[in-house]
Amino acid sequence: MAGLALLAGGSCAAADGPDMAAVRTQFRDALTRAAAGETAQADPESLRTYVLYPYLLAARLQRQLQAAPGNATDASVQAFLLQYPALPVARDLRQAWLHSLAQREAWPEFLKAYSAEASDADLRCIQLLARIKTGPDANLRDDALKIWMTGQTLPPTCIPAFDWIAQQGWLTPELREQRAPPAVDAGNAELTEFLAQSLPAAIATPLMRLAALQRAP
């Protein structure tokens, strides 16, 4: 938000007129009010035609998702994303919308709104859970294993999906063994130890030694 305020202060310098300073002040004030919880306002024409006005709309929609999630807010967010798909702020707004849909367990709506380009590790796992809840899904196993096969520790939001996947017997000892080298290469002693616990002693023992060495070189 602070960075956007700085951007507002420096934008349209070449087109400065006698009223541009006032418009920038209007924008910064409105952005501050949006951050404080304001979700709607009758804006003057000068502000509505300001180049950064979509960022103000996005800030208000993010607050609206927190204060009044539901069909009306979802429709407003969707309309914004259709109108301004290329703006950097659209990615942040989509992420906030997806998290809101997930909290409401609106799984079909989540999958319609999901975009891999706008996703992070949390949302990639949540979309697996959404697909589990709305299945069947022929590609779920392969897509899930692509996310799981990493040397990095996955966020807590991944637990529900991967608990279900483990119950299906998809996380075999062979796959756990294949995931161990990336964990070692990443210096992830915690994950290395976790994977070793479910492997035969002949494989687990050297992995535990490597993890111990990583913890105390």
Side-chain angles (χ1 to χ4, degrees), residues 39-70:
T39 59
Q41 181 71 27
D43 297 315
E45 176 70 14
S46 58
L47 186 56
R48 286 186 280 113
T49 57
Y50 185 49
V51 66
L52 295 180
Y53 185 64
Y55 287 79
L56 174 59
L57 297 179
R60 288 173 177 167
L61 287 170
Q62 290 222 30
R63 294 297 302 191
Q64 196 170 326
L65 282 169
Q66 298 171 10

PDB file of all heavy atoms in Angstrom, residues 39-70:
ATOM      1  N   THR A  39     -15.547   0.433   1.817  1.00  0.00           N
ATOM      2  CA  THR A  39     -15.715  -0.430   0.647  1.00  0.00           C
ATOM      3  C   THR A  39     -16.484   0.231  -0.490  1.00  0.00           C
ATOM      4  O   THR A  39     -16.551  -0.318  -1.584  1.00  0.00           O
ATOM      5  CB  THR A  39     -16.452  -1.728   1.030  1.00  0.00           C
ATOM      6  OG1 THR A  39     -17.737  -1.392   1.588  1.00  0.00           O
ATOM      7  CG2 THR A  39     -15.657  -2.522   2.057  1.00  0.00           C
ATOM      8  N   ALA A  40     -17.102   1.371  -0.265  1.00  0.00           N
ATOM      9  CA  ALA A  40     -17.868   2.031  -1.325  1.00  0.00           C
ATOM     10  C   ALA A  40     -17.827   3.534  -1.125  1.00  0.00           C
ATOM     11  O   ALA A  40     -17.769   4.020   0.000  1.00  0.00           O
ATOM     12  CB  ALA A  40     -19.314   1.543  -1.330  1.00  0.00           C
ATOM     13  N   GLN A  41     -17.865   4.257  -2.215  1.00  0.00           N
ATOM     14  CA  GLN A  41     -17.796   5.714  -2.152  1.00  0.00           C
ATOM     15  C   GLN A  41     -18.246   6.290  -3.486  1.00  0.00           C
ATOM     16  O   GLN A  41     -17.984   5.718  -4.546  1.00  0.00           O
ATOM     17  CB  GLN A  41     -16.351   6.157  -1.854  1.00  0.00           C
ATOM     18  CG  GLN A  41     -16.149   7.645  -1.731  1.00  0.00           C
ATOM     19  CD  GLN A  41     -16.766   8.221  -0.471  1.00  0.00           C
ATOM     20  OE1 GLN A  41     -16.906   7.525   0.514  1.00  0.00           O
ATOM     21  NE2 GLN A  41     -17.138   9.492  -0.512  1.00  0.00           N
ATOM     22  N   ALA A  42     -18.926   7.430  -3.435  1.00  0.00           N
ATOM     23  CA  ALA A  42     -19.288   8.152  -4.658  1.00  0.00           C
ATOM     24  C   ALA A  42     -18.103   9.022  -5.035  1.00  0.00           C
ATOM     25  O   ALA A  42     -17.894  10.092  -4.451  1.00  0.00           O
ATOM     26  CB  ALA A  42     -20.541   8.983  -4.422  1.00  0.00           C
ATOM     27  N   ASP A  43     -17.299   8.556  -5.984  1.00  0.00           N
ATOM     28  CA  ASP A  43     -16.067   9.247  -6.340  1.00  0.00           C
ATOM     29  C   ASP A  43     -16.318  10.312  -7.392  1.00  0.00           C
ATOM     30  O   ASP A  43     -17.135  10.129  -8.305  1.00  0.00           O
ATOM     31  CB  ASP A  43     -15.037   8.248  -6.876  1.00  0.00           C
ATOM     32  CG  ASP A  43     -14.645   7.220  -5.839  1.00  0.00           C
ATOM     33  OD1 ASP A  43     -14.398   7.605  -4.685  1.00  0.00           O
ATOM     34  OD2 ASP A  43     -14.582   6.023  -6.195  1.00  0.00           O
ATOM     35  N   PRO A  44     -15.592  11.425  -7.313  1.00  0.00           N
ATOM     36  CA  PRO A  44     -15.722  12.462  -8.346  1.00  0.00           C
ATOM     37  C   PRO A  44     -15.156  11.983  -9.679  1.00  0.00           C
ATOM     38  O   PRO A  44     -14.343  11.056  -9.731  1.00  0.00           O
ATOM     39  CB  PRO A  44     -14.903  13.624  -7.776  1.00  0.00           C
ATOM     40  CG  PRO A  44     -13.913  12.977  -6.859  1.00  0.00           C
ATOM     41  CD  PRO A  44     -14.622  11.793  -6.267  1.00  0.00           C
ATOM     42  N   GLU A  45     -15.567  12.616 -10.741  1.00  0.00           N
ATOM     43  CA  GLU A  45     -15.110  12.261 -12.080  1.00  0.00           C
ATOM     44  C   GLU A  45     -13.594  12.337 -12.193  1.00  0.00           C
ATOM     45  O   GLU A  45     -12.961  11.509 -12.847  1.00  0.00           O
ATOM     46  CB  GLU A  45     -15.768  13.179 -13.112  1.00  0.00           C
ATOM     47  CG  GLU A  45     -15.300  12.978 -14.542  1.00  0.00           C
ATOM     48  CD  GLU A  45     -15.770  11.656 -15.144  1.00  0.00           C
ATOM     49  OE1 GLU A  45     -16.673  11.017 -14.557  1.00  0.00           O
ATOM     50  OE2 GLU A  45     -15.252  11.274 -16.208  1.00  0.00           O
ATOM     51  N   SER A  46     -13.001  13.317 -11.553  1.00  0.00           N
ATOM     52  CA  SER A  46     -11.546  13.475 -11.637  1.00  0.00           C
ATOM     53  C   SER A  46     -10.818  12.257 -11.094  1.00  0.00           C
ATOM     54  O   SER A  46      -9.775  11.862 -11.616  1.00  0.00           O
ATOM     55  CB  SER A  46     -11.116  14.722 -10.866  1.00  0.00           C
ATOM     56  OG  SER A  46     -11.529  14.644  -9.505  1.00  0.00           O
ATOM     57  N   LEU A  47     -11.379  11.641 -10.053  1.00  0.00           N
ATOM     58  CA  LEU A  47     -10.748  10.455  -9.473  1.00  0.00           C
ATOM     59  C   LEU A  47     -11.040   9.218 -10.323  1.00  0.00           C
ATOM     60  O   LEU A  47     -10.161   8.367 -10.520  1.00  0.00           O
ATOM     61  CB  LEU A  47     -11.256  10.255  -8.036  1.00  0.00           C
ATOM     62  CG  LEU A  47     -10.588   9.143  -7.225  1.00  0.00           C
ATOM     63  CD1 LEU A  47      -9.071   9.334  -7.169  1.00  0.00           C
ATOM     64  CD2 LEU A  47     -11.168   9.101  -5.809  1.00  0.00           C
ATOM     65  N   ARG A  48     -12.243   9.136 -10.860  1.00  0.00           N
ATOM     66  CA  ARG A  48     -12.625   7.957 -11.647  1.00  0.00           C
ATOM     67  C   ARG A  48     -11.857   7.855 -12.966  1.00  0.00           C
ATOM     68  O   ARG A  48     -11.763   6.777 -13.546  1.00  0.00           O
ATOM     69  CB  ARG A  48     -14.134   7.942 -11.894  1.00  0.00           C
ATOM     70  CG  ARG A  48     -14.935   7.576 -10.653  1.00  0.00           C
ATOM     71  CD  ARG A  48     -16.414   7.403 -10.906  1.00  0.00           C
ATOM     72  NE  ARG A  48     -17.100   8.690 -10.971  1.00  0.00           N
ATOM     73  CZ  ARG A  48     -17.655   9.197 -12.053  1.00  0.00           C
ATOM     74  NH1 ARG A  48     -17.594   8.540 -13.210  1.00  0.00           N
ATOM     75  NH2 ARG A  48     -18.269  10.365 -12.019  1.00  0.00           N
ATOM     76  N   THR A  49     -11.328   8.982 -13.438  1.00  0.00           N
ATOM     77  CA  THR A  49     -10.546   8.970 -14.672  1.00  0.00           C
ATOM     78  C   THR A  49      -9.041   8.961 -14.400  1.00  0.00           C
ATOM     79  O   THR A  49      -8.249   8.986 -15.351  1.00  0.00           O
ATOM     80  CB  THR A  49     -10.893  10.193 -15.537  1.00  0.00           C
ATOM     81  OG1 THR A  49     -10.668  11.398 -14.783  1.00  0.00           O
ATOM     82  CG2 THR A  49     -12.339  10.139 -15.989  1.00  0.00           C
ATOM     83  N   TYR A  50      -8.671   8.908 -13.145  1.00  0.00           N
ATOM     84  CA  TYR A  50      -7.243   8.881 -12.772  1.00  0.00           C
ATOM     85  C   TYR A  50      -6.659   7.524 -13.158  1.00  0.00           C
ATOM     86  O   TYR A  50      -7.302   6.481 -13.019  1.00  0.00           O
ATOM     87  CB  TYR A  50      -7.114   9.125 -11.272  1.00  0.00           C
ATOM     88  CG  TYR A  50      -5.704   9.254 -10.753  1.00  0.00           C
ATOM     89  CD1 TYR A  50      -4.776  10.097 -11.355  1.00  0.00           C
ATOM     90  CD2 TYR A  50      -5.292   8.537  -9.634  1.00  0.00           C
ATOM     91  CE1 TYR A  50      -3.490  10.225 -10.865  1.00  0.00           C
ATOM     92  CE2 TYR A  50      -4.005   8.655  -9.125  1.00  0.00           C
ATOM     93  CZ  TYR A  50      -3.116   9.506  -9.751  1.00  0.00           C
ATOM     94  OH  TYR A  50      -1.838   9.627  -9.264  1.00  0.00           O
ATOM     95  N   VAL A  51      -5.400   7.534 -13.623  1.00  0.00           N
ATOM     96  CA  VAL A  51      -4.794   6.317 -14.169  1.00  0.00           C
ATOM     97  C   VAL A  51      -4.711   5.192 -13.143  1.00  0.00           C
ATOM     98  O   VAL A  51      -4.785   4.005 -13.499  1.00  0.00           O
ATOM     99  CB  VAL A  51      -3.388   6.648 -14.743  1.00  0.00           C
ATOM    100  CG1 VAL A  51      -2.423   7.071 -13.633  1.00  0.00           C
ATOM    101  CG2 VAL A  51      -2.834   5.456 -15.525  1.00  0.00           C
ATOM    102  N   LEU A  52      -4.579   5.512 -11.864  1.00  0.00           N
ATOM    103  CA  LEU A  52      -4.461   4.474 -10.833  1.00  0.00           C
ATOM    104  C   LEU A  52      -5.800   4.133 -10.164  1.00  0.00           C
ATOM    105  O   LEU A  52      -5.819   3.377  -9.189  1.00  0.00           O
ATOM    106  CB  LEU A  52      -3.456   4.907  -9.759  1.00  0.00           C
ATOM    107  CG  LEU A  52      -2.006   5.051 -10.230  1.00  0.00           C
ATOM    108  CD1 LEU A  52      -1.113   5.477  -9.072  1.00  0.00           C
ATOM    109  CD2 LEU A  52      -1.504   3.740 -10.823  1.00  0.00           C
ATOM    110  N   TYR A  53      -6.877   4.650 -10.687  1.00  0.00           N
ATOM    111  CA  TYR A  53      -8.187   4.399 -10.063  1.00  0.00           C
ATOM    112  C   TYR A  53      -8.505   2.910  -9.913  1.00  0.00           C
ATOM    113  O   TYR A  53      -9.073   2.508  -8.892  1.00  0.00           O
ATOM    114  CB  TYR A  53      -9.279   5.098 -10.872  1.00  0.00           C
ATOM    115  CG  TYR A  53     -10.651   5.014 -10.245  1.00  0.00           C
ATOM    116  CD1 TYR A  53     -10.919   5.603  -9.018  1.00  0.00           C
ATOM    117  CD2 TYR A  53     -11.683   4.329 -10.899  1.00  0.00           C
ATOM    118  CE1 TYR A  53     -12.185   5.535  -8.444  1.00  0.00           C
ATOM    119  CE2 TYR A  53     -12.943   4.254 -10.338  1.00  0.00           C
ATOM    120  CZ  TYR A  53     -13.195   4.854  -9.114  1.00  0.00           C
ATOM    121  OH  TYR A  53     -14.441   4.778  -8.538  1.00  0.00           O
ATOM    122  N   PRO A  54      -8.164   2.037 -10.878  1.00  0.00           N
ATOM    123  CA  PRO A  54      -8.448   0.607 -10.675  1.00  0.00           C
ATOM    124  C   PRO A  54      -7.800   0.033  -9.406  1.00  0.00           C
ATOM    125  O   PRO A  54      -8.336  -0.896  -8.801  1.00  0.00           O
ATOM    126  CB  PRO A  54      -7.870  -0.050 -11.934  1.00  0.00           C
ATOM    127  CG  PRO A  54      -7.928   1.021 -12.970  1.00  0.00           C
ATOM    128  CD  PRO A  54      -7.630   2.292 -12.230  1.00  0.00           C
ATOM    129  N   TYR A  55      -6.669   0.592  -9.005  1.00  0.00           N
ATOM    130  CA  TYR A  55      -6.020   0.102  -7.782  1.00  0.00           C
ATOM    131  C   TYR A  55      -6.860   0.438  -6.554  1.00  0.00           C
ATOM    132  O   TYR A  55      -6.896  -0.332  -5.583  1.00  0.00           O
ATOM    133  CB  TYR A  55      -4.612   0.693  -7.653  1.00  0.00           C
ATOM    134  CG  TYR A  55      -3.616   0.090  -8.625  1.00  0.00           C
ATOM    135  CD1 TYR A  55      -3.595   0.494  -9.957  1.00  0.00           C
ATOM    136  CD2 TYR A  55      -2.732  -0.892  -8.216  1.00  0.00           C
ATOM    137  CE1 TYR A  55      -2.704  -0.070 -10.860  1.00  0.00           C
ATOM    138  CE2 TYR A  55      -1.834  -1.456  -9.111  1.00  0.00           C
ATOM    139  CZ  TYR A  55      -1.825  -1.045 -10.432  1.00  0.00           C
ATOM    140  OH  TYR A  55      -0.940  -1.616 -11.311  1.00  0.00           O
ATOM    141  N   LEU A  56      -7.522   1.566  -6.581  1.00  0.00           N
ATOM    142  CA  LEU A  56      -8.432   1.919  -5.495  1.00  0.00           C
ATOM    143  C   LEU A  56      -9.624   0.967  -5.472  1.00  0.00           C
ATOM    144  O   LEU A  56     -10.033   0.486  -4.407  1.00  0.00           O
ATOM    145  CB  LEU A  56      -8.907   3.359  -5.667  1.00  0.00           C
ATOM    146  CG  LEU A  56      -9.982   3.844  -4.687  1.00  0.00           C
ATOM    147  CD1 LEU A  56      -9.496   3.745  -3.246  1.00  0.00           C
ATOM    148  CD2 LEU A  56     -10.386   5.282  -5.027  1.00  0.00           C
ATOM    149  N   LEU A  57     -10.178   0.674  -6.649  1.00  0.00           N
ATOM    150  CA  LEU A  57     -11.295  -0.279  -6.719  1.00  0.00           C
ATOM    151  C   LEU A  57     -10.883  -1.641  -6.181  1.00  0.00           C
ATOM    152  O   LEU A  57     -11.644  -2.288  -5.443  1.00  0.00           O
ATOM    153  CB  LEU A  57     -11.770  -0.414  -8.169  1.00  0.00           C
ATOM    154  CG  LEU A  57     -12.351   0.840  -8.831  1.00  0.00           C
ATOM    155  CD1 LEU A  57     -12.741   0.535 -10.266  1.00  0.00           C
ATOM    156  CD2 LEU A  57     -13.550   1.355  -8.041  1.00  0.00           C
ATOM    157  N   ALA A  58      -9.673  -2.091  -6.533  1.00  0.00           N
ATOM    158  CA  ALA A  58      -9.197  -3.389  -6.066  1.00  0.00           C
ATOM    159  C   ALA A  58      -9.029  -3.399  -4.554  1.00  0.00           C
ATOM    160  O   ALA A  58      -9.363  -4.387  -3.883  1.00  0.00           O
ATOM    161  CB  ALA A  58      -7.878  -3.743  -6.747  1.00  0.00           C
ATOM    162  N   ALA A  59      -8.525  -2.307  -3.986  1.00  0.00           N
ATOM    163  CA  ALA A  59      -8.360  -2.229  -2.532  1.00  0.00           C
ATOM    164  C   ALA A  59      -9.711  -2.306  -1.833  1.00  0.00           C
ATOM    165  O   ALA A  59      -9.859  -2.973  -0.802  1.00  0.00           O
ATOM    166  CB  ALA A  59      -7.637  -0.936  -2.160  1.00  0.00           C
ATOM    167  N   ARG A  60     -10.698  -1.631  -2.390  1.00  0.00           N
ATOM    168  CA  ARG A  60     -12.043  -1.688  -1.795  1.00  0.00           C
ATOM    169  C   ARG A  60     -12.631  -3.096  -1.900  1.00  0.00           C
ATOM    170  O   ARG A  60     -13.285  -3.583  -0.969  1.00  0.00           O
ATOM    171  CB  ARG A  60     -12.954  -0.684  -2.504  1.00  0.00           C
ATOM    172  CG  ARG A  60     -12.641   0.770  -2.156  1.00  0.00           C
ATOM    173  CD  ARG A  60     -13.451   1.714  -3.020  1.00  0.00           C
ATOM    174  NE  ARG A  60     -13.223   3.109  -2.659  1.00  0.00           N
ATOM    175  CZ  ARG A  60     -13.606   4.139  -3.394  1.00  0.00           C
ATOM    176  NH1 ARG A  60     -14.240   3.914  -4.548  1.00  0.00           N
ATOM    177  NH2 ARG A  60     -13.371   5.374  -2.998  1.00  0.00           N
ATOM    178  N   LEU A  61     -12.398  -3.749  -3.026  1.00  0.00           N
ATOM    179  CA  LEU A  61     -12.930  -5.102  -3.191  1.00  0.00           C
ATOM    180  C   LEU A  61     -12.273  -6.083  -2.225  1.00  0.00           C
ATOM    181  O   LEU A  61     -12.935  -6.999  -1.716  1.00  0.00           O
ATOM    182  CB  LEU A  61     -12.747  -5.566  -4.643  1.00  0.00           C
ATOM    183  CG  LEU A  61     -13.687  -4.906  -5.658  1.00  0.00           C
ATOM    184  CD1 LEU A  61     -13.263  -5.247  -7.081  1.00  0.00           C
ATOM    185  CD2 LEU A  61     -15.133  -5.351  -5.420  1.00  0.00           C
ATOM    186  N   GLN A  62     -10.982  -5.895  -1.971  1.00  0.00           N
ATOM    187  CA  GLN A  62     -10.317  -6.763  -1.001  1.00  0.00           C
ATOM    188  C   GLN A  62     -10.944  -6.594   0.382  1.00  0.00           C
ATOM    189  O   GLN A  62     -11.152  -7.576   1.092  1.00  0.00           O
ATOM    190  CB  GLN A  62      -8.817  -6.456  -0.955  1.00  0.00           C
ATOM    191  CG  GLN A  62      -8.080  -6.882  -2.217  1.00  0.00           C
ATOM    192  CD  GLN A  62      -6.740  -7.529  -1.934  1.00  0.00           C
ATOM    193  OE1 GLN A  62      -6.549  -8.151  -0.897  1.00  0.00           O
ATOM    194  NE2 GLN A  62      -5.809  -7.392  -2.854  1.00  0.00           N
ATOM    195  N   ARG A  63     -11.239  -5.362   0.770  1.00  0.00           N
ATOM    196  CA  ARG A  63     -11.903  -5.125   2.053  1.00  0.00           C
ATOM    197  C   ARG A  63     -13.322  -5.698   2.030  1.00  0.00           C
ATOM    198  O   ARG A  63     -13.798  -6.242   3.032  1.00  0.00           O
ATOM    199  CB  ARG A  63     -11.948  -3.637   2.341  1.00  0.00           C
ATOM    200  CG  ARG A  63     -10.592  -2.996   2.557  1.00  0.00           C
ATOM    201  CD  ARG A  63      -9.860  -3.544   3.759  1.00  0.00           C
ATOM    202  NE  ARG A  63     -10.615  -3.378   4.989  1.00  0.00           N
ATOM    203  CZ  ARG A  63     -10.123  -3.583   6.204  1.00  0.00           C
ATOM    204  NH1 ARG A  63      -8.863  -3.962   6.347  1.00  0.00           N
ATOM    205  NH2 ARG A  63     -10.865  -3.425   7.281  1.00  0.00           N
ATOM    206  N   GLN A  64     -13.990  -5.588   0.901  1.00  0.00           N
ATOM    207  CA  GLN A  64     -15.353  -6.113   0.783  1.00  0.00           C
ATOM    208  C   GLN A  64     -15.367  -7.634   0.927  1.00  0.00           C
ATOM    209  O   GLN A  64     -16.298  -8.205   1.511  1.00  0.00           O
ATOM    210  CB  GLN A  64     -15.936  -5.687  -0.563  1.00  0.00           C
ATOM    211  CG  GLN A  64     -17.446  -5.830  -0.678  1.00  0.00           C
ATOM    212  CD  GLN A  64     -17.961  -5.174  -1.941  1.00  0.00           C
ATOM    213  OE1 GLN A  64     -17.430  -4.148  -2.387  1.00  0.00           O
ATOM    214  NE2 GLN A  64     -18.995  -5.761  -2.532  1.00  0.00           N
ATOM    215  N   LEU A  65     -14.329  -8.297   0.408  1.00  0.00           N
ATOM    216  CA  LEU A  65     -14.233  -9.750   0.568  1.00  0.00           C
ATOM    217  C   LEU A  65     -14.130 -10.136   2.040  1.00  0.00           C
ATOM    218  O   LEU A  65     -14.618 -11.189   2.454  1.00  0.00           O
ATOM    219  CB  LEU A  65     -13.019 -10.281  -0.190  1.00  0.00           C
ATOM    220  CG  LEU A  65     -13.173 -10.427  -1.702  1.00  0.00           C
ATOM    221  CD1 LEU A  65     -11.812 -10.696  -2.347  1.00  0.00           C
ATOM    222  CD2 LEU A  65     -14.153 -11.551  -2.047  1.00  0.00           C
ATOM    223  N   GLN A  66     -13.488  -9.290   2.826  1.00  0.00           N
ATOM    224  CA  GLN A  66     -13.363  -9.555   4.253  1.00  0.00           C
ATOM    225  C   GLN A  66     -14.651  -9.225   5.008  1.00  0.00           C
ATOM    226  O   GLN A  66     -15.061  -9.965   5.914  1.00  0.00           O
ATOM    227  CB  GLN A  66     -12.204  -8.748   4.836  1.00  0.00           C
ATOM    228  CG  GLN A  66     -10.843  -9.093   4.245  1.00  0.00           C
ATOM    229  CD  GLN A  66      -9.768  -8.116   4.693  1.00  0.00           C
ATOM    230  OE1 GLN A  66      -9.969  -7.298   5.579  1.00  0.00           O
ATOM    231  NE2 GLN A  66      -8.611  -8.195   4.057  1.00  0.00           N
ATOM    232  N   ALA A  67     -15.268  -8.097   4.630  1.00  0.00           N
ATOM    233  CA  ALA A  67     -16.411  -7.602   5.394  1.00  0.00           C
ATOM    234  C   ALA A  67     -17.738  -8.218   4.970  1.00  0.00           C
ATOM    235  O   ALA A  67     -18.610  -8.454   5.807  1.00  0.00           O
ATOM    236  CB  ALA A  67     -16.493  -6.078   5.254  1.00  0.00           C
ATOM    237  N   ALA A  68     -17.897  -8.483   3.682  1.00  0.00           N
ATOM    238  CA  ALA A  68     -19.199  -8.963   3.183  1.00  0.00           C
ATOM    239  C   ALA A  68     -19.013  -9.965   2.060  1.00  0.00           C
ATOM    240  O   ALA A  68     -19.410  -9.725   0.921  1.00  0.00           O
ATOM    241  CB  ALA A  68     -20.034  -7.778   2.713  1.00  0.00           C
ATOM    242  N   PRO A  69     -18.391 -11.115   2.357  1.00  0.00           N
ATOM    243  CA  PRO A  69     -18.241 -12.133   1.308  1.00  0.00           C
ATOM    244  C   PRO A  69     -19.603 -12.700   0.905  1.00  0.00           C
ATOM    245  O   PRO A  69     -20.493 -12.827   1.735  1.00  0.00           O
ATOM    246  CB  PRO A  69     -17.365 -13.196   1.973  1.00  0.00           C
ATOM    247  CG  PRO A  69     -17.640 -13.043   3.441  1.00  0.00           C
ATOM    248  CD  PRO A  69     -17.874 -11.576   3.655  1.00  0.00           C
ATOM    249  N   GLY A  70     -19.738 -13.006  -0.364  1.00  0.00           N
ATOM    250  CA  GLY A  70     -21.004 -13.542  -0.838  1.00  0.00           C
ATOM    251  C   GLY A  70     -21.155 -13.334  -2.322  1.00  0.00           C
ATOM    252  O   GLY A  70     -20.232 -12.863  -3.001  1.00  0.00           O
TER     253      GLY A  70
END
